[in-house]
Amino acid sequence: MTAQPIPHLILRTDAGNRYLSLTNNNCWTIGRGDDNNFVLPDRWISRNHAMLQRMETGEFYLIDLGSRNGSFVNGRRVSVPVTLHNGDRLTFGQTELEFYSPELSHLHDSSVGIDSQEFTATATLHVRRLISVLVVDIRDFTVMTRQLDEKILSEAIGTWFRCAGDIIREYGSWVDKYIGDAIMAVWIHGAQGITPDEMVRIARALSALHKMTSRLHERYPLPFPLRVGAGLNTGYAMVGNTGTGDRPDYTALGDTVNAAFRLESSTKQIGMDVALGETTYQYLAGAIANPNLFKQYTVSLKGYDTPTVTYAGSFADLDTFLKLSSKI
């Protein structure tokens, strides 16, 4: 059967084929529970089993949400978010779906001119806004994959992604990207600027992510407690609404985003848990009388010609800061 021109899933049943459209949204959940976008009545499927996310590039990611029996792409179990390709077979429990997105085959087509690529970017990313970008990465993930059973790994990491998404939403944002063993979240600030309370809320989200991660070994037999590192950066970026209706879904692009990833990487160089951009630190400093809990470092970020000032510390430093900020 010829694939439909729009992205979709095909569920083949005895009663015929069901077409599950992947439009008018950027995120679709799959599971047995009624609260999912796609409800699959298969007892081998978890209540909240997996999620599909469409990126601003048009690519689709499959993220397992800690399901007991796993998510499979072309017969291979996935532990971290994976990019889907046109025609991939997705298996959840005893249910198989086929993923179709014909446009994906043209994403890297050399016949697509640079003018049309620039037009697409301009159409999507068209408003300059003040944002804060948080990048959180699981430490020693590669080491753990070598020591852990694949089934347990998939459940544990899937649970981490699901809980991380819940925490980010609780504190007023969304997970913009799932990248391997990391996530990126974006907070969009108002035109009037940022209040210290806004930045403290983001810091509380980061603390909650750290605590959730550190407790995961109590639920799963991990070889060692999981840890995360984080980069938090504030600045201007081009953002655009790629959502629909009453569910706007902004995405951001630019130096502010790139620097957040680089700051996260710098925590490994300086032996700290959290690295803050200079602007982020200035806003946070307004929340307490004595903000000198984070030490100033000068780091060389990949892709940057000049050294960058960052303020870094441990999660214990962050929690001390949050306790002090609650007393002001």
Side-chain angles (χ1 to χ4, degrees):
M1 180 177 292
T2 304
Q4 294 179 343
I6 62 173
H8 62 283
L9 298 172
I10 294 180
L11 172 63
R12 302 193 185 280
T13 69
D14 293 339
N17 295 339
R18 284 181 58 196
Y19 291 85
L20 310 178
S21 175
L22 298 174
T23 58
N24 300 325
N25 205 341
N26 285 298
C27 181
W28 300 264
T29 55
I30 299 167
R32 192 164 35 84
D34 293 336
D35 56 340
N36 292 283
N37 298 101
F38 301 136
V39 179
L40 301 178
D42 179 339
R43 68 188 183 92
W44 299 99
I45 292 177
S46 298
R47 178 168 293 278
N48 299 108
H49 195 103
M51 178 171 67
L52 288 173
Q53 182 165 350
R54 184 174 185 171
M55 312 309 291
E56 67 271 14
T57 59
E59 293 178 297
F60 283 81
Y61 277 83
L62 172 67
I63 303 106
D64 184 85
L65 297 178
S67 64
R68 179 170 296 277
N69 293 313
S71 301
F72 297 79
V73 177
N74 299 325
R76 184 173 181 178
R77 186 166 189 160
V78 300
S79 302
V80 298
V82 295
T83 306
L84 296 180
H85 300 88
N86 188 41
D88 278 348
R89 293 178 293 105
L90 315 182
T91 305
F92 311 109
Q94 295 184 346
T95 302
E96 185 171 291
L97 299 95
E98 296 169 21
F99 169 78
Y100 288 103
S101 184
E103 63 190 44
L104 290 181
S105 59
H106 304 300
L107 279 179
H108 305 292
D109 192 336
S110 60
S111 65
V112 178
I114 187 68
D115 291 342
S116 63
Q117 293 178 26
E118 289 177 349
F119 173 80
T120 301
T122 303
T124 305
L125 308 169
H126 59 278
V127 180
R128 189 169 183 264
R129 296 291 297 271
L130 182 61
I131 66 170
S132 289
V133 182
L134 175 64
V135 175
V136 181
D137 174 79
I138 299 176
R139 292 287 186 259
D140 301 320
F141 180 76
T142 302
V143 175
M144 188 175 65
T145 61
R146 296 172 182 153
Q147 301 180 26
L148 201 58
D149 175 79
E150 187 181 53
K151 184 176 185 294
I152 296 174
L153 176 68
S154 296
E155 288 186 32
I157 299 305
T159 298
W160 184 81
F161 281 121
R162 185 181 71 245
C163 292
D166 291 342
I167 290 170
I168 295 298
R169 285 189 293 274
E170 179 184 349
Y171 286 92
S173 183
W174 73 98
V175 175
D176 184 88
K177 288 182 175 64
Y178 294 86
I179 313 109
D181 54 354
I183 59 170
M184 165 186 151
V186 177
W187 280 261
I188 300 193
H189 304 295
Q192 70 279 7
I194 308 173
T195 66
D197 286 346
E198 279 186 89
M199 199 59 72
V200 167
R201 184 170 71 247
I202 299 173
R204 292 192 186 282
L206 177 53
S207 176
L209 286 167
H210 157 65
K211 289 180 172 62
M212 177 273 291
T213 304
S214 64
R215 292 193 298 265
L216 210 57
H217 73 284
E218 299 171 1
R219 182 171 178 178
Y220 298 99
L222 306 180
F224 48 81
L226 281 184
R227 298 183 305 114
V228 292
L232 177 58
N233 194 39
T234 303
Y236 283 91
M238 298 303 291
V239 300
N241 179 12
T242 57
T244 57
D246 60 352
R247 296 185 62 184
D249 186 6
Y250 284 92
T251 189
L253 187 69
D255 184 66
T256 297
V257 177
N258 296 337
F261 280 92
R262 303 308 185 203
L263 286 170
E264 185 280 317
S265 296
S266 76
T267 60
K268 302 168 188 174
Q269 303 170 20
I270 59 183
M272 291 294 171
D273 298 323
V274 181
L276 308 173
E278 197 167 8
T279 302
T280 302
Y281 178 76
Q282 290 171 358
Y283 281 114
L284 276 173
I288 61 174
N290 180 18
N292 299 320
L293 293 169
F294 298 92
K295 185 177 178 181
Q296 180 177 322
Y297 293 84
T298 301
V299 294
S300 296
L301 303 184
K302 184 178 179 181
Y304 289 76
D305 296 331
T306 58
T308 300
V309 172
T310 182
Y311 293 83
S314 65
F315 281 113
D317 295 331
L318 180 66
D319 287 340
T320 299
F321 167 84
L322 291 172
K323 288 178 183 177
L324 291 173
S325 68
S326 65
K327 296 177 181 179
I328 299 297

